[in-house]
Amino acid sequence: MLEILLIGLNLLVLIVLLRALVKTRKQAMLMKLQSQEIQKQIKELEQRNDDLQKLNQEKVQLISLVSHDLKGPFNRIFALTQLMNSSSENFSKEQKEYLGKIHQIAVDGLGMVRNILDSRKLDDKVVEPNQVEFDLSIFVSSIVKNYQTLAEKKKIEMVFEQGGPILIKADKLYLGRAIENLLSNAVKFSPENKKIFVCLGSSSQSIEFSVKDEGPGISNEDQLKLFQRFQQLTAQPTGGESSSGLGLFIVKTIVDKMGGEVLCESEIGHGAKFILRLPSKIP
């Protein structure tokens, strides 16, 4: 009787072990199939990622090529309008008005092309600072003078206030682009017969450049997304100018690289003031 009981017990243990073995093998096969499926999905994802990277590279190259090719025609149109402006005494009022519009379109187009190219360079991290020492007051005065001409075409007065010489060591090209974008926006969003106030000053700790307009102002909601790429705000250019939504993004990126900050103070109906603040010694 005991032997029969032991045999039955052994058979029961054997059956349990066989079932466990079968279950283990099934689980192993299932895990193998799942692993194969995961590997397959990983390969598909890697292929899709490669395809997306190639498409993105082609897109960037295409944008760069088109932007670079557009720069030449806009430059020629700009130069021609400048030449015609210098000898426009015999033009009628209507002809001068059309010439002014062509000049504005050329400036607008050049600004957009330059912003697209700058954006790509900043994305590719190919911005190599070329620091030189120069007088920021003279440098800013020259830029302001160029934008005063554009402002006058919209019957806008640009008031420039500055102190004495301000020596700075920085990348002139990119600092100039940041200043140009702030001035360009002020002209774009200012109605006729208004003023733009441009100030430049310095202290032992920092250098401050500001641009204040008398435009429609910027809502609190829009201020939260001001410096993001391709942001189209509620306020629209007052003279039909176009906007790529890249200008303020480029300003902030450049200023951040210089160890500074850019701020906005604005209320709806009371214009906007942008403040570009840099350390006295840019690293």
Side-chain angles (χ1 to χ4, degrees), residues 114-146:
R114 291 171 71 185
N115 279 344
I116 291 171
L117 293 173
D118 285 346
S119 177
R120 189 206 161 190
K121 287 178 182 177
L122 293 169
D123 279 344
D124 292 346
K125 298 179 181 178
V126 296
V127 178
E128 294 293 338
N130 180 26
Q131 294 194 350
V132 294
E133 189 172 66
F134 59 97
D135 187 338
L136 186 60
S137 295
I138 296 174
F139 182 63
V140 172
S141 295
S142 176
I143 298 174
V144 169
K145 186 176 180 180
N146 290 335

Side-chain angles (χ1 to χ4, degrees), residues 159-206:
V159 182
F160 181 37
E161 298 177 8
Q162 62 174 322
I166 300 175
L167 290 179
I168 187 173
K169 190 173 183 179
D171 188 306
K172 288 181 75 172
L173 174 64
Y174 282 98
L175 181 54
R177 292 294 294 124
I179 292 169
E180 285 174 357
N181 273 311
L182 292 180
L183 290 172
S184 175
N185 279 353
V187 174
K188 280 182 184 179
F189 293 94
S190 291
E192 289 187 356
N193 302 311
K194 295 292 184 179
K195 291 183 179 180
I196 295 173
F197 301 91
V198 183
C199 295
L200 176 66
S202 66
S203 66
S204 59
Q205 299 296 321
S206 65

Side-chain angles (χ1 to χ4, degrees), residues 38-51:
I38 289 171
Q39 291 297 323
K40 182 182 176 182
Q41 291 178 356
I42 289 173
K43 287 182 179 179
E44 289 177 354
L45 286 171
E46 287 176 346
Q47 183 62 48
R48 289 179 186 175
N49 187 50
D50 287 342
D51 291 342

Side-chain angles (χ1 to χ4, degrees), residues 84-99:
M84 293 172 72
N85 264 325
S86 65
S87 57
S88 61
E89 295 85 359
N90 298 324
F91 286 10
S92 67
K93 183 179 178 181
E94 188 178 22
Q95 287 172 328
K96 288 180 179 179
E97 185 179 341
Y98 285 134
L99 183 59

